[in-house]
Amino acid sequence: MSIYTGQLHSSVPSLRPDLDFQNASELGHPDKMMVIAGQRYFLADHATVSLLRLLQQPQSSYEALAEIMQQQYAIPCDAVSLQQQILALPAGLWTDSPVRHPFWLRWHFLPADWVRLLSRPFQFFFLIPVAAFLLISFLMCSGYLLFSHWTGHGADWHQTQWGIALALGLTGTLLHEFGHCSAAQRFGGRQQGIGIGLYWFWPVFYAEVHDAWRLSRWQRVVVDAGGLYLQARSEEHTSELQSRLH
């Protein structure tokens, strides 16, 4: 968790104006709340949330804030300890905090509205009976391919077919991102589109599904696994095409 490292000020720092709160009971944390700061999500106890709610209003000084904490919430504190607690809050909560991420180059080429339309057919694959059937067929197909390669009967891409293999690989990678978006939409979560960028030094596709933190724990698991799940379906068809070309 990043720490706000601004210098000590006599005035109380300002929170982001779009800060929001949500009960975290459905996420498996009945004693905490979800703090939503743009596309960042934090779990906080109720005492911290009470402090954040007060910080959403202009405060004249730490002394006045400590007095309000004691009067309204019966939380014993003094101005010095309260100042230290506030300055140790995550950096993403403040208006003057820079947003840092490992992407140093990003291109958002598929906006959310397009992805919403394109992902709609894929939501069918996340129905439980359909997913169970497809996962079983994937395991059977994978077992057959492994057996074929071990026995020396597997098909390899011909030298002139590497262009097809590359195109299919990129398509599967893009479907991976659609898997995350489709799963998020399946459970009522929002997505903010798909893009391409450099993750440290590696070119990657990415999907903006930060809103998945509003979902339950198992729904978040499905959103995380949805990329590999949909990409696995693509690999099945790739393997079938490879066999037909030989």
Side-chain angles (χ1 to χ4, degrees), residues 131-147:
F133 172 78
L134 294 179
L135 287 174
I136 292 174
S137 66
F138 171 74
L139 291 175
M140 294 176 62
C141 180
S142 299
Y144 170 76
L145 290 175
L146 287 174
F147 177 78

Side-chain angles (χ1 to χ4, degrees), residues 27-117:
L27 306 179
H29 301 279
D31 58 336
K32 296 183 182 296
M33 293 192 70
M34 178 76 74
V35 182
I36 306 167
Q39 294 183 350
R40 296 184 177 185
Y41 299 80
F42 307 94
L43 281 174
D45 56 34
H46 290 281
T48 302
V49 170
S50 299
L51 175 60
L52 292 175
R53 291 188 187 277
L54 288 177
L55 288 172
Q56 287 185 303
Q57 308 168 7
Q59 301 295 333
S60 58
S61 65
Y62 288 102
E63 290 79 4
L65 184 60
E67 185 176 350
I68 295 175
M69 288 287 290
Q70 295 181 33
Q71 291 178 353
Q72 292 190 10
Y73 300 105
I75 299 177
C77 61
D78 57 79
V80 175
S81 62
L82 191 61
Q83 185 184 51
Q84 294 175 349
Q85 180 182 354
I86 290 174
L87 295 177
L89 290 171
L93 300 176
W94 308 106
T95 55
D96 58 348
S97 61
V99 177
R100 296 186 176 91
H101 51 72
F103 284 96
W104 63 274
L105 180 63
R106 298 198 298 176
W107 176 36
H108 211 71
F109 69 93
L110 278 179
D113 291 339
W114 290 16
V115 174
R116 187 178 302 109
L117 291 174

Side-chain angles (χ1 to χ4, degrees), residues 85-235:
Q85 180 182 354
I86 290 174
L87 295 177
L89 290 171
L93 300 176
W94 308 106
T95 55
D96 58 348
S97 61
V99 177
R100 296 186 176 91
H101 51 72
F103 284 96
W104 63 274
L105 180 63
R106 298 198 298 176
W107 176 36
H108 211 71
F109 69 93
L110 278 179
D113 291 339
W114 290 16
V115 174
R116 187 178 302 109
L117 291 174
L118 295 172
S119 297
R120 202 167 287 168
F122 297 126
Q123 295 181 40
F124 170 77
F125 294 109
F126 291 92
L127 298 174
I128 293 179
V130 177
F133 172 78
L134 294 179
L135 287 174
I136 292 174
S137 66
F138 171 74
L139 291 175
M140 294 176 62
C141 180
S142 299
Y144 170 76
L145 290 175
L146 287 174
F147 177 78
S148 299
H149 281 284
W150 283 338
T151 56
H153 296 92
D156 294 320
W157 289 103
H158 190 269
Q159 184 176 2
T160 59
Q161 297 169 345
W162 278 107
I164 300 175
L166 178 61
L168 291 173
L170 289 174
T171 301
T173 306
L174 185 58
L175 282 174
H176 179 104
E177 307 308 331
F178 272 103
H180 294 308
C181 294
S182 301
Q185 290 182 190
R186 171 71 177 82
F187 298 119
R190 295 175 299 177
Q191 49 79 24
Q192 288 82 38
I194 293 175
I196 188 172
L198 287 178
Y199 187 82
W200 298 117
F201 60 88
W202 195 258
V204 294
F205 289 111
Y206 66 88
E208 297 277 6
V209 289
H210 303 287
D211 197 61
W213 283 105
R214 295 174 180 263
L215 305 177
S216 68
R217 181 176 301 176
W218 284 110
Q219 288 173 340
R220 296 199 307 271
V221 170
V222 175
V223 173
D224 287 340
L228 288 175
Y229 168 61
L230 213 58
Q231 189 174 8
R233 294 294 305 151
S234 172
E235 295 300 328

